[in-house]
Amino acid sequence: MIPIRVEETGVEPVSVAEMRGHLRLSSDETAEDALIARLIPAARAAVEAATRRLLRSARFRVVLAAWPQLGLLPLPLSPLVAVLRAGRVDAGGTLVAIEPGPIRIGPDPWEAPCLLFGPDLPPLGAASALVEVSAGCGGEGPSVPEPLVQALRLTVADWFENRGDAGRECAPRPLPPEAAGLAAACRRMRL
């Protein structure tokens, strides 16, 4: 079971205007704005991968062939914010809504994001279960921790200053060491 990103619902943790200030670009230097706007989501994705945390809120869909046996479904979506809807999908693809009340977020949505399933859910039979959740910082979720915002700023600045240098156009750029250190301090651990 892999959560499917359905929709980005939040805004980037750092704006182009904020990055222009961080890069010390004057107000009349707008030629680089398009590049900065492309670097921000790429750097956010790199920081998210390094920390296993979502820095921008989004809606995700989870499809299950059966209800979890122990009533617990760990998810790789930190922080987990809300259960938006649930339903049964029959063989013909028809979705029948289920009251999401028996499906709730576990006690620690930041470090151990999971869904808890109550015993009073309808049997699935040959149908599948569909659960949509909201996850990520910003929006209705928690604020992005300042160390991760700074890691994002440092990554954008590094990639902005070192674009195209040393023939690395095709190789993915790692997080700069300072950003990697900040990201490591906020990384969600896995067992």
Side-chain angles (χ1 to χ4, degrees), residues 12-25 36 40 146 149-150 152-153 156:
E12 294 293 346
V14 176
S15 68
V16 171
E18 184 180 351
M19 278 311 305
R20 289 173 49 73
H22 185 78
L23 295 169
R24 298 182 181 166
L25 297 175
I36 295 168
I40 291 170
E146 188 55 38
V149 174
Q150 184 62 13
L152 178 58
R153 286 186 203 110
V156 171

Side-chain angles (χ1 to χ4, degrees), residues 122-186:
L124 289 178
S128 298
L130 179 137
V131 180
E132 284 192 3
V133 297
S134 172
C137 295
E140 298 199 13
S143 300
V144 179
E146 188 55 38
L148 297 183
V149 174
Q150 184 62 13
L152 178 58
R153 286 186 203 110
L154 291 170
T155 303
V156 171
D158 180 70
W159 292 357
F160 181 83
E161 294 298 328
N162 297 301
R163 57 196 155 170
D165 294 348
R168 296 183 58 136
E169 290 84 12
C170 296
R173 289 202 40 95
L175 293 178
E178 301 84 3
L182 290 168
C186 296

